[in-house]
DNA sequence: CGACACATTGAACAGCATCAACCCAGGTGG
DNA sequence: CCACCTGGGTTGATGCTGTTCAATGTGTCG
């Protein structure tokens, strides 16, 4: 092994949530795991199963989604590089959703047995993972508000604001714009719209000067205006050091 | 103190998630706290604040909700007796939603400082609370699917199925029906419908034989049919012993 | 070059929203 | 004890937002 260890992204992420002790960091980085490259569309978790490995997204994107009886798909979350895909299954054994790679992606697979043994023995780590899980729940709440109480254009702009901030936070985009990792179909499944209506709304947003598009690249000509029209308040992302730490407790 | 201690509901709930050690139970029950009776509509948590106390619902009901800029309210969760209202704030300090009592309710208020000090020192307890938080997240996901991908009648029946199961699990209802703790307005804010459309949909459901109503009491003439039409699969509630325990890890 | 996935456009339609009125039961005060 | 008020529930008429179905355009990759 040379260069930065593959699990470093995860360690950094957890560390930003609840400053880890040196031991915690060391023991995380010595976790057994293997890298896996998957092609777009690969299922990493299937509803109803009990995952054996915790996948951490190293490169690429993934979505969590649920299906309704009549075949409708609702994307309930977008995962970006560095995100552990399976915090839920650290605490619950049965998957009640699917996780699918959006495009070609590489993941680190950590056997849950090992991860649990380690984490349960170290309160600092359970705590960090629990924070991680709570932030995901917080994002879910905002998505519910987005789908439930905003119109098509607001929903899309709100989603773009979120993606843009999350990608900037992890150094995967700059203020100049970001590359949208999803098709219009997938945008529709994230915002509870049809692909057709997503298309029309995007065109309208572009004509209205809310967004600019260049292939899959999205940028905001006037970021403040976009934030305002979508009612975007990044607080729900809980980024930065505003969380509860062991020492504060 | 005599009779069952007020925090017993919480202890039982956590215990059902991750079998607690005797110490864990004892230390929970000796937590300092005070009872508080509140009238309907009282805010127990306000967005943007940092709650000082963890409220546990002893009697009555509460909702979590978020507001959009244009004044739309989205209820993101319904809390029933025994639910801790604030698991999120065990791990995140800033509230990004509101919590409001639905009708007259009584809560136990536990100072967060005490609760955190206790919980952080006991991995078994962090674990139990983390499971509790993950189950809430799991319910949120299902609500997102509900609002995003089901029609008005399905949304309502799905919500009724959920409430009915949760109330039965905690002994607050029987198979004969349950008392709906919310108005049609609140049903609308939970399902992203207007009160008017909730009303029409309820009438249609009644005429169609899907539900029966008697004042605020709801029952299912044909439970299996209702479950099927709403696409209700109780797995997302993670009730019963299907969770990850320390010993399994 | 052809195949395929994705994006774009049009026309007709449906589900739910909106606004406005009315009803009913329970509670309050004169 | 009744008159009134208020919060919730019910109903009607109308229209907008987003859906549906179907066709056409466009870029990429074997």
């Amino acid at each position: 092994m040379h260069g930065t260890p593959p699990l470093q992204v995860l360690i950094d992420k957890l560390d930003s949530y609840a400053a880890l002790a040196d031991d915690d960091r060391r023991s995380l980085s010595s976790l057994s795991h293997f890298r896996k490259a998957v092609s777009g569309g690969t299922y990493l978790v299937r509803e109803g199963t009990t995952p054996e490995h915790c996948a951490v997204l190293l490169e690429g994107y993934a979505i969590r989604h649920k299906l309704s009886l009549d075949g409708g798909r609702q994307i309930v979350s977008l995962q970006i590089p560095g995100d552990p895909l399976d915090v839920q299954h650290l605490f619950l054994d049965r998957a009640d959703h699917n996780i699918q790679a959006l495009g070609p992606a590489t993941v680190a697979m950590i056997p849950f047995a090992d991860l649990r043994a380690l984490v349960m023995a170290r309160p600092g780590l359970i705590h960090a993972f629990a924070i991680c899980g709570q932030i995901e729940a917080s994002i879910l709440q905002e998505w519910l508000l987005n789908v439930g109480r905003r119109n098509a254009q607001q929903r899309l702009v709100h989603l773009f604001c979120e993606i843009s901030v999350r990608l900037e936070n992890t150094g995967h985009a700059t203020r100049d714009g970001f590359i949208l990792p999803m098709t219009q179909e997938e945008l529709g499944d994230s915002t509870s719209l049809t692909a057709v209506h997503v298309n029309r709304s995007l065109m309208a947003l572009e004509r209205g000067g809310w967004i600019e598009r260049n292939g899959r690249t999205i940028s905001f000509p006037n970021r403040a205006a976009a934030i305002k029209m979508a009612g975007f308040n990044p607080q729900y992302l809980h980024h930065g050091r505003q969380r509860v730490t062991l020492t504060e407790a």
Side-chain angles (χ1 to χ4, degrees), chain A:
Chain A
M1 250 192 264
H2 49 72
T4 57
L7 291 185
Q8 196 58 44
V9 277
L10 175 64
I11 297 172
D12 290 346
K13 191 184 185 75
L14 291 174
D15 194 44
S16 83
Y17 290 161
L20 298 178
D22 286 348
D23 302 16
D24 290 340
R25 249 173 309 205
R26 262 195 303 277
S27 51
L28 272 178
S29 69
S30 64
L31 266 177
S32 69
H33 65 273
F34 58 95
R35 257 175 173 267
K36 192 173 161 188
V38 299
S39 56
T42 307
Y43 275 83
L44 295 162
V45 172
R46 270 185 198 276
E47 187 171 349
T49 63
T50 299
E52 303 274 312
H53 295 271
C54 177
V56 177
L57 248 192
L58 301 177
E59 293 157 24
Y61 299 86
I63 51 172
R64 283 214 304 272
H65 66 88
K66 301 191 75 159
L67 301 170
S68 69
L69 277 193
D70 13 313
R73 176 174 75 160
Q74 179 65 48
I75 295 179
V76 295
S77 117
L78 170 69
Q79 314 281 137
I80 67 173
D83 285 343
L85 298 182
D86 263 333
V87 211
Q88 154 152 177
H89 303 116
L90 203 52
F91 302 110
L92 301 176
D93 66 357
R94 191 71 73 83
D96 54 10
H97 56 249
N98 303 285
I99 300 185
Q100 214 176 356
L102 257 191
T106 66
V107 290
M109 304 287 274
I110 309 171
F112 260 121
D114 298 354
L115 184 60
R116 276 195 202 113
L118 173 64
V119 164
M120 297 307 175
R122 297 182 164 273
L125 289 182
I126 317 186
H127 185 229
F129 276 105
I131 290 177
C132 189
Q134 280 305 137
I135 292 177
E136 285 194 6
S138 183
I139 295 177
L140 267 172
Q141 277 188 175
E142 186 67 35
W143 279 42
L144 184 52
L145 176 63
N146 202 35
V147 163
R149 290 291 174 222
R150 289 196 263 258
N151 66 30
Q153 297 192 21
Q154 292 175 314
R155 285 183 215 180
L156 289 166
V157 172
H158 194 280
L159 179 59
F160 295 158
C161 287
E162 177 182 314
I163 296 178
S164 134
V165 168
R166 288 172 62 192
L167 290 179
E168 284 167 27
N169 286 347
T170 54
H172 289 88
T174 67
R175 294 229 134 200
D176 299 336
F178 61 94
I179 298 175
L180 196 64
M182 13 170 64
T183 64
Q184 294 184 357
E185 176 93 39
E186 287 147 357
L187 279 177
D189 287 344
S190 301
T191 50
S192 298
L193 299 167
T194 57
V196 172
H197 199 61
V198 165
N199 184 280
R200 287 194 234 273
S201 303
L202 288 178
M203 310 281 259
L205 285 170
E206 208 171 8
R207 277 195 302 275
W210 298 104
I211 62 170
E212 264 167 17
R213 292 190 299 162
N214 195 339
R216 285 268 179 98
T217 301
I218 304 270
S219 55
F220 300 109
N222 182 343
R223 205 181 174 93
I227 286 175
K228 191 169 169 208
M229 82 81 98
F232 178 74
N233 175 349
Q235 196 176 291
Y236 73 94
L237 294 171
H238 297 273
H239 182 254
R241 291 210 169 262
Q242 2 161 306
R243 291 162 227 87
V244 173
T245 64
L246 280 168
T247 52
E248 273 172 19

